[in-house]
Amino acid sequence: MGGPNREQSLTTTRTEAYYVARRRAYRVLLYVLMFVGCAIMLLPFFWMVTTSFKTELEAMRMPPQWIPRTWLWQNYPAALARAPFGRYFFNSFFVSILSTAGEVFTTILAAYAFAKMRFFGKNVLFALLLGTMMIPGEMLLIPNYVSLVRLNWFDHYEGLIIPWLASVFGIFLLRQFFRSLPDELWDSARIDGCRRFRYLWKVVVPLSKPAILTVALLKFLGSWNAYQWVLLMTNSQRMRTIPVGLTMFSSDIGTEYQLLMAASVVAILPILILFFFTQKQFIQGVARTGIK
Amino acid sequence: MLRRMMLVGLAALVVFGMAAVAQEPVTIEFWHAMSSGHQPNLQKLVDDFTAEYPYITVTLVYQGGYGTLQGKIDAAVVAGNLPAIAQVYENWVTPIAPILYPIGNFMTDAEKADILDGLVASNTYNGVLTTVPFNKSIMVLYYNKSLVTTPPTTWAEFFEMSKALTVDLDGDGKVDRYGTAFRPAANPEQFLIFLEQAGGSILNADWTEVALNNDAGKTAVEFVGSLIPYSYITSEYMSDHIKDAAMFVDTSAGIGYNQKAATNAGFELGAATLPAGPANFNSMIQGTNLAVFNTDNLTQAQKDAAVLLARFLLRAENTVFWAEKSGYQPVTKSAYGTEAWLTYVGSHDFQVPMSEQMLNAFAQILHPNYGDMRNVLSTGFEEIMRGVVPPLEGLENMAAEIEALLE
């Protein structure tokens, strides 16, 4: 009585238990792997933060001394006193924000044109544009420098911002995203009497927020970390940015790691805060546009 | 009487007039690659200079490391916005020698004769002292005092001690500490030292032929080849590998970092002159010189001001101050006899061998292709020391590549 049913129920329970256990095991394994990956990723960051509190001898110790014997908070004021970091911070923000805003604006226009509009030579022009990505940046450094010196933009914000207001990579990225938007949206907008420009800003841009934020974030990071170009295009302290300031602690014979790390911790804080607030959009954008 | 008064008045007018012309304010830029630890001392020297010449303003412009300073100078040559004065390595400016302002032409004979002998040739272009030495260091032998009681004075002793000090401490069949160490990729000058000490050089006297693979070159490469089993090879700072070798050849400027690393590792570091080879115990001078540029973007007053600054920095008291604060070496003979320097050496015993080595030194040749030749030596020396090619074959390869550069 009820034998087969009971047996069946037992088998089902056993199978379920097996699957639950397997799922749990997978999850544990996943968390262990994620923890290990996380630890590996965070180790340099951890070293950076702890080194910023070490003595010079502790910072040079090999194998590394992970935790300082005494936490030297004075490394921070000492590092920041080595150069006008306040001015460098302002410049980094100013240049990064304007370059990012400018690039996002030009990129949206160009990407939309390449994605959704028809004009003569569109594909050839796009291929040519992509072709410029093959030219190593180092090759263009001196010609660009000469051009900007002749434009009298040397040691001016114009030289640090204007050459970076357009990005082929950004155009390519957004074009791919814009192409995935259905044309029917434009058809219905047109029926409602909407023009291209209005449609772009009222419909396309809001729909493409994650991709645009990705472009903006990548640009901001690139601009914040820019070193060679800033060094080349500026001479005065009042025009220089954070990464140039960070080189002050290294020479051909060695590096003052404890001070360099203290200044680096301060330098990456704004980036960390920015990423903290935008990580959702950033990850979405990366996932949707297929950028690895 | 009236005539005499008029003459005196005229003379006074000329003198004061000239003084007024000479004291027109002038601003010059000094491009350098001195990191923030050195900058206050460089600024102090510049402040002393401008106190003496109040009509001159010197703007110190930090241009990052040496690599970026070189890149910036290259770009500025093309764009025509060079500074009045800059720190330069010899091989950066040999290709642009025609646009250098010959500082030596505006120095007294006594000032020129005061420059250390080993530094004259590497600053002289077509027989004219054109650049002047500034932050100079010398390669010396550092050693672990707990392992080496008396540093080697000859190649033979160096070899024997390197062999004896190469040990497998834990018995696992692997060497734990080597007798010596090399940084071939970063520091091909280590090979050039052995070449010089064997009596050789890269090129012959008039730079028409490669001399690298003559008998002296073979002696040098065979000697470094014999050290391979007893040598720790790295491309990083020696201070990061201080425990890996009992002795190593490194720049005198690295003394601060090397000493701190040794303290961390629990031993005291010693410094000595290099072991002598068959010909001499000369060492190679490293570091930069000062160049004044003779380009259209600079006024005559700027060039004159830059020359004054270069001469000021050569003064015994200034080169001594710079040496004491920076770890580089004084660059004039008179500096070594000053009370300030003798007092400093008295309290820093490692300076005794460094000073002696500075007086027995050589510098890089001013061939326009030296930069490329150095790259060849760097790769070739690395291949030899890492056992990729046998020493003699490596030497022939380097000679062939340098031959191509001559053509």
Side-chain angles (χ1 to χ4, degrees), chain A residues 57 61 82 234 240 248, chain B residues 36 62-63 72 260 264:
Chain A
L57 282 179
R61 204 154 279 166
R82 284 285 184 91
T234 60
R240 291 194 158 164
M248 294 264 188
Chain B
S36 62
Y62 173 63
Q63 301 290 15
K72 187 125 178 188
K260 281 170 199 153
N264 261 336

Side-chain angles (χ1 to χ4, degrees), chain B residues 227-292:
Chain B
L227 291 170
I228 292 172
Y230 319 117
S231 300
Y232 182 77
I233 307 298
T234 179
S235 52
E236 292 157 359
Y237 296 127
M238 272 316 300
S239 54
D240 293 338
H241 297 276
I242 205 90
K243 282 195 286 193
D244 295 313
M247 309 177 285
F248 58 92
V249 175
D250 197 14
T251 168
S252 58
I255 180 78
Y257 288 100
N258 289 338
Q259 274 184 327
K260 281 170 199 153
T263 306
N264 261 336
F267 66 85
E268 201 185 335
L269 195 71
T273 53
L274 297 179
N280 55 54
F281 73 103
N282 288 353
S283 183
M284 191 163 186
I285 293 174
Q286 297 189 300
T288 65
N289 305 311
L290 295 175
V292 172

Side-chain angles (χ1 to χ4, degrees), chain A residues 195-270:
Chain A
R195 296 196 168 193
R196 283 264 187 208
F197 199 69
R198 193 177 155 84
Y199 168 72
L200 174 61
W201 297 106
K202 292 283 178 190
V203 179
V204 176
V205 169
L207 283 175
S208 314
K209 235 193 260 171
I212 293 170
L213 268 170
T214 306
V215 169
L217 206 58
L218 289 174
K219 176 67 189 182
F220 190 88
L221 285 176
S223 193
W224 185 267
N225 292 328
Y227 166 68
Q228 201 173 21
W229 181 253
V230 179
L231 196 62
L232 195 65
M233 280 309 296
T234 60
N235 265 354
S236 56
Q237 297 277 23
R238 66 184 173 79
M239 292 307 303
R240 291 194 158 164
T241 56
I242 295 275
V244 178
L246 295 181
T247 63
M248 294 264 188
F249 304 102
S250 293
S251 71
D252 57 322
I253 47 168
T255 298
E256 295 172 279
Y257 289 109
Q258 77 287 4
L259 298 182
L260 176 62
M261 292 306 127
S264 300
V265 168
V266 177
I268 65 156
L269 276 180

Side-chain angles (χ1 to χ4, degrees), chain B residues 310-327:
Chain B
R311 291 171 64 191
F312 178 86
L313 293 172
L314 282 176
R315 285 186 199 165
E317 66 272 24
N318 295 330
T319 186
V320 165
F321 171 82
W322 181 238
E324 284 180 11
K325 298 292 179 187
S326 65

Side-chain angles (χ1 to χ4, degrees), chain B residues 211-232:
Chain B
L212 185 69
N213 52 345
N214 63 13
D215 288 345
K218 286 174 185 159
T219 305
V221 84
E222 279 174 342
F223 180 65
V224 290
S226 71
L227 291 170
I228 292 172
Y230 319 117
S231 300
Y232 182 77

Side-chain angles (χ1 to χ4, degrees), chain A residues 7-238:
Chain A
E7 214 165 273
Q8 198 178 351
S9 154
L10 269 175
T11 314
T12 312
T13 313
R14 264 189 218 136
T15 315
E16 266 174 22
Y18 168 74
Y19 279 117
V20 167
R22 206 171 76 162
R23 211 177 304 142
R24 267 193 199 147
Y26 272 133
R27 187 156 291 183
V28 168
L29 186 69
L30 191 70
Y31 277 106
V32 167
L33 283 176
M34 275 164 57
F35 178 80
V36 171
C38 205
I40 291 170
M41 300 293 279
L42 283 176
L43 206 60
F45 186 78
F46 177 76
W47 184 81
M48 178 179 76
V49 174
T50 56
T51 300
S52 73
F53 292 101
K54 291 175 192 169
T55 62
E56 192 174 359
L57 282 179
E58 286 173 337
M60 287 174 73
R61 204 154 279 166
M62 204 52 73
Q65 179 178 332
W66 294 102
I67 307 289
R69 193 178 291 244
T70 325
W71 294 73
L72 292 181
W73 289 89
Q74 59 263 41
N75 282 346
Y76 280 80
L80 298 179
R82 284 285 184 91
F85 276 95
R87 180 76 197 189
Y88 293 169
F89 261 104
F90 169 78
N91 287 341
S92 283
F93 269 115
F94 185 69
V95 171
S96 303
I97 289 170
L98 284 190
S99 308
T100 305
E103 186 192 296
V104 167
F105 180 72
T106 59
T107 301
I108 287 172
L109 295 178
Y112 181 75
F114 281 118
K116 294 292 181 188
M117 292 172 77
R118 285 185 195 169
F119 55 90
F120 176 74
K122 183 171 92 170
N123 291 336
V124 175
L125 195 62
F126 189 64
L128 279 174
L129 216 54
L130 286 184
T132 62
M133 286 177 75
M134 313 292 174
I135 304 169
E138 289 76 13
M139 249 182 77
L140 299 172
L141 217 54
I142 290 182
N144 285 343
Y145 174 81
V146 174
S147 305
L148 296 192
V149 166
R150 287 183 187 155
L151 282 168
N152 226 0
W153 287 354
F154 178 76
D155 218 19
H156 287 84
Y157 285 119
E158 289 93 321
L160 299 182
I161 297 167
I162 295 175
W164 307 104
L165 290 184
S167 152
V168 177
F169 176 71
I171 294 169
F172 169 73
L173 190 72
L174 275 194
R175 173 189 177 262
Q176 300 308 103
F177 196 88
F178 289 170
R179 275 162 66 105
S180 68
L181 296 176
D183 288 337
E184 288 75 14
L185 281 172
W186 167 234
D187 294 337
S188 58
R190 200 158 47 162
I191 291 164
D192 290 341
C194 185
R195 296 196 168 193
R196 283 264 187 208
F197 199 69
R198 193 177 155 84
Y199 168 72
L200 174 61
W201 297 106
K202 292 283 178 190
V203 179
V204 176
V205 169
L207 283 175
S208 314
K209 235 193 260 171
I212 293 170
L213 268 170
T214 306
V215 169
L217 206 58
L218 289 174
K219 176 67 189 182
F220 190 88
L221 285 176
S223 193
W224 185 267
N225 292 328
Y227 166 68
Q228 201 173 21
W229 181 253
V230 179
L231 196 62
L232 195 65
M233 280 309 296
T234 60
N235 265 354
S236 56
Q237 297 277 23
R238 66 184 173 79

